[in-house]
Amino acid sequence: MTDRLSIALAQLNPTLGAVSANLAKAREARAAVKDCDLILFPELFICGYPPEDLVLRPSFVEACKAAVEELARDTVTGPAILMGTPWRDGPLLHNAVALLANGKVETLRYKYDLPNYGVFDEKRVFQPGPAPGPISFKGVRLGVPICEDVWTEEVCETLAETGAEILLVPNGSPFERNKDDVRLNLIVARVTETGLPLAYLNQVGGQDELVFDGASFVLNADRSLALQMPMFEEEIAVTQWQRGENGWHMLPGETAKLPENEEETWKACVLGLRDYVLKNRFPGVVLGLSGGIDSAVVAAMAVDALGAERVHCVMLPYAYTSRDSLVDAEECAKLLGVRYDVVPIKQPVEGFLSALEPMFENTQRGITEENIQSRSRGVILMAISNKFGSMVLTTGNKSEMSVGYATLYGDMNGGYNPIKDVYKTEVYRLAAWRNTQGFVIPERIITKAPTAELRENQKDQDSLPPYDVLDDILNGLVENEQPVAEIVRRGHDEALVKRIQHMLYIAEYKRRQAAPGVKITRRNFGRDRRYPITNAFRDGR
């Protein structure tokens, strides 16, 4: 039995499916803390999280097991390891944590409470384990609940009742706005209930639409914050623990300042974009830079994520592109330091119109002709992507995606959208915040009236209410699932709310074909909010 423990918390960024690379990263981390007693890795670190249906592939699970057993052989000397891994126990597949020590897999604990809501559907691929008991390590009884196991009181209470002295919690907890406060309040509750100190370790990095923000921390039994690790950054923290008269406590460590508001959202978008590009091995990105706010913000995020040398911006002007937009786009590209090209779309647009002229004879010009402009731009950007290998970024915000104010196979073309879950009003706040960190978005881009410039003197408000009104209505309909009547009671016109609800519902088919993008809110389109395409329901009918 010991009265002191040194535990390393490895807040790291695995790549899903890259088992050998994750094994190498784990070895590198362990070598960096060779004098510690134990190193804890995040949930399912050896394979990456969430593995989705990939864990239904037997060869994948076997590769993970082989990597864990190989890593275990390293532990004849040096720190022991708590490693997250999928693990098959007879016919049952579990989300597991393995204690690797003395050159072997000493013991395993299985996740008991499998989440099946929001972005999670673990019950689809894993089977729950039994209520876990503590792990004995150097005479200390360690409770190792896995992520969701601490979101309700049952598992932690069971561990405390069976003698656990310290709770070490590996997590794969995705980012959403203000979730760090939610987690802290949750862990305060578990510490209060059990009277035990708790180390909360979260992974960091992007995985498709999800971003994991890290922000790992430790609370002592008196609920004091002993350690706060940074958000959106890899870090290994070595924590020192002592046994006293009232049990174990961690000696005070570093407390990183966490970003808030626009800074938090910006960093999440940047990390998600960076990891999507790098983990999928794209050489860079290309996007249309229109002189508007959305494309300017996405371009700035791309530069922050990848560096200016890997970002290619293209202005695609037509007859309705204003002089201001041409000037603003060029200035923005210069401020960002990116490659900037101008490719006029007059010839392809007029070619399409000429080809369709016999069929369109005696019809009025309208949205069809406007969409041909957008789709011509989409074809050109995809051609650049095909030729040079860069991934196209699409730049539609959540307000536009909500009401279908976007063109399929046009401005929706692209492989990823970092602002997909960001409402228009917040896009403006993000632009203003980013300029406080270094001026990269011309002021006129932020102050001028938004417009798609697909017809003469067009403004977004020709078709939509002001964005502050629209976003408040959408917040009710999307984020809070409020009935129309409740939104009307907040001061909105009933006919307008019903029109926005109708636009929201009929645009579902577009959203199903949209590029993935970073989850920022509690109800992102795709993983969180799963509405049917064919949907005849409307409030009040």
Side-chain angles (χ1 to χ4, degrees):
M1 183 175 292
T2 181
D3 291 329
R4 293 178 178 269
L5 276 179
S6 177
I7 302 173
L9 305 179
Q11 179 176 292
L12 298 178
N13 184 353
T15 298
L16 204 148
V19 178
S20 296
N22 295 338
L23 171 61
K25 184 181 278 281
R27 281 176 160 154
E28 182 181 353
R30 181 174 180 268
V33 294
K34 59 184 179 181
D35 295 326
C36 284
D37 296 303
L38 178 68
I39 180 169
L40 173 67
F41 288 90
E43 180 178 13
L44 293 179
F45 180 84
I46 203 68
C47 67
Y49 186 84
E52 302 184 81
D53 284 9
L54 187 56
V55 290
L56 300 180
R57 190 171 187 82
S59 58
F60 178 67
V61 176
E62 284 300 315
C64 293
K65 181 181 180 182
V68 169
E69 290 174 338
E70 183 179 339
L71 185 61
R73 290 191 284 273
D74 295 350
T75 63
V76 173
T77 60
I81 300 169
L82 283 169
M83 175 56 68
T85 182
W87 196 269
R88 186 167 293 283
D89 188 348
L92 303 180
L93 181 63
H94 295 290
N95 180 336
V97 168
L99 174 64
L100 315 181
N102 303 311
K104 61 183 179 181
V105 178
E106 286 270 9
T107 190
L108 292 138
R109 292 295 183 270
Y110 303 141
K111 191 171 185 177
Y112 175 77
D113 196 350
L114 300 178
N116 206 52
Y117 59 87
V119 302
F120 306 106
D121 49 13
E122 286 193 33
K123 289 182 180 178
R124 173 186 173 87
V125 295
F126 290 117
Q127 285 74 49
I135 295 172
S136 180
F137 176 74
K138 291 184 177 289
V140 184
R141 295 175 68 79
L142 304 176
V144 190
I146 303 171
C147 199
E148 191 72 14
D149 287 342
V150 300
W151 285 74
T152 55
E153 63 272 9
E154 181 179 357
V155 172
C156 290
E157 285 184 356
T158 298
L159 286 164
E161 290 166 359
T162 51
E165 299 172 86
I166 300 172
L167 299 177
L168 302 178
V169 188
N171 291 272
S173 179
F175 170 81
E176 62 188 48
R177 192 180 292 119
N178 300 322
K179 195 171 182 182
D180 53 314
D181 291 334
V182 174
R183 295 188 194 117
L184 181 60
N185 290 333
L186 175 85
I187 298 308
V188 165
R190 298 293 88 84
V191 170
T192 301
E193 292 157 2
T194 63
L196 298 177
L198 187 152
Y200 183 100
L201 174 67
N202 194 22
Q203 81 172 42
V204 68
Q207 172 55 34
D208 297 346
E209 294 163 294
L210 302 181
V211 168
F212 297 89
D213 51 309
S216 307
F217 61 94
V218 176
L219 289 187
N220 275 321
D222 62 0
R223 301 185 294 280
S224 63
L225 184 67
L227 174 76
Q228 177 63 69
M229 297 173 72
M231 285 181 102
F232 308 117
E233 298 174 25
E234 287 191 303
E235 183 173 282
I236 302 173
V238 176
T239 64
Q240 303 296 336
W241 296 75
Q242 285 186 358
R243 188 201 306 265
E245 292 183 2
N246 297 314
W248 284 88
H249 67 278
M250 183 196 144
L251 301 181
E254 298 290 325
T255 52
K257 186 179 185 300
L258 301 184
E260 297 177 329
N261 303 322
E262 284 74 38
E263 181 184 7
E264 180 187 61
T265 299
W266 187 278
K267 288 187 173 181
C269 293
V270 166
L271 178 56
L273 173 58
R274 178 189 299 127
D275 274 3
Y276 192 84
V277 172
L278 298 184
K279 290 180 179 181
N280 288 293
R281 302 182 182 180
F282 289 103
V285 296
V286 60
L287 68 148
L289 192 63
S290 67
I293 186 76
D294 296 322
S295 62
V297 165
V298 170
M301 287 177 173
V303 169
D304 287 356
L306 305 168
E309 69 280 0
R310 301 179 77 169
V311 179
H312 181 189
C313 292
V314 184
M315 161 56 87
L316 300 145
Y318 187 55
Y320 307 118
T321 303
S322 69
R323 177 65 183 167
D324 283 354
S325 292
L326 290 166
V327 171
D328 293 343
E330 183 175 8
E331 183 185 355
C332 186
K334 287 180 178 177
L335 290 168
L336 290 168
V338 299
R339 177 180 172 181
Y340 178 73
D341 290 300
V342 179
V343 181
I345 64 168
K346 180 179 179 181
Q347 286 185 327
V349 169
E350 294 186 356
F352 281 120
L353 293 175
S354 177
L356 292 164
E357 187 175 7
M359 190 181 300
F360 287 4
E361 188 177 6
N362 297 323
T363 64
Q364 290 189 339
R365 293 177 68 93
I367 291 176
T368 300
E369 288 75 16
E370 294 176 14
N371 286 345
I372 286 173
Q373 298 169 51
S374 181
R375 291 186 175 120
S376 296
R377 292 183 172 109
V379 168
I380 291 170
L381 289 172
M382 289 306 303
I384 295 169
S385 173
N386 291 160
K387 181 62 71 174
F388 301 110
S390 295
M391 183 186 71
V392 177
L393 292 179
T394 181
T395 62
N397 59 72
K398 190 171 187 177
S399 307
E400 295 170 351
M401 295 306 300
S402 294
V403 296
Y405 197 68
T407 304
L408 270 176
Y409 326 120
D411 57 331
M412 288 179 65
N413 276 8
Y416 203 73
N417 180 0
I419 63 168
K420 180 180 180 180
D421 201 27
V422 179
Y423 287 106
K424 185 78 168 190
T425 48
E426 187 172 12
V427 172
Y428 283 101
R429 294 196 297 271
L430 287 172
W433 175 85
R434 180 59 182 82
N435 275 352
T436 67
Q437 308 301 301
F439 186 75
V440 293
I441 299 175
E443 188 64 24
R444 186 165 57 192
I445 288 179
I446 300 174
T447 58
K448 66 185 178 184
T451 172
E453 293 191 325
L454 297 174
R455 62 178 182 268
E456 197 70 45
N457 298 318
Q458 182 185 23
K459 298 292 184 289
D460 287 6
Q461 264 59 75
D462 297 341
S463 307
L464 300 172
Y467 278 113
D468 58 342
V469 174
L470 175 63
D471 288 355
D472 190 61
I473 293 171
L474 290 172
N475 186 69
L477 292 171
V478 177
E479 308 302 326
N480 297 309
E481 293 290 356
Q482 291 175 333
V484 166
E486 188 171 334
I487 299 170
V488 170
R489 282 196 294 271
R490 295 214 310 266
H492 294 290
D493 177 73
E494 181 177 5
L496 175 62
V497 177
K498 287 184 173 180
R499 181 167 76 90
I500 298 304
Q501 182 192 51
H502 179 68
M503 295 171 74
L504 173 68
Y505 286 177
I506 64 172
E508 187 63 38
Y509 80 100
K510 289 187 178 182
R511 291 189 290 271
R512 292 284 184 97
Q513 299 178 66
V518 179
K519 169 181 164 63
I520 297 295
T521 68
R522 188 173 54 86
R523 295 277 286 168
N524 77 319
F525 291 127
R527 283 179 171 271
D528 284 316
R529 185 183 184 277
R530 308 180 191 184
Y531 263 58
I533 295 173
T534 304
N535 172 19
F537 177 80
R538 302 291 185 273
D539 278 16
R541 282 190 184 175

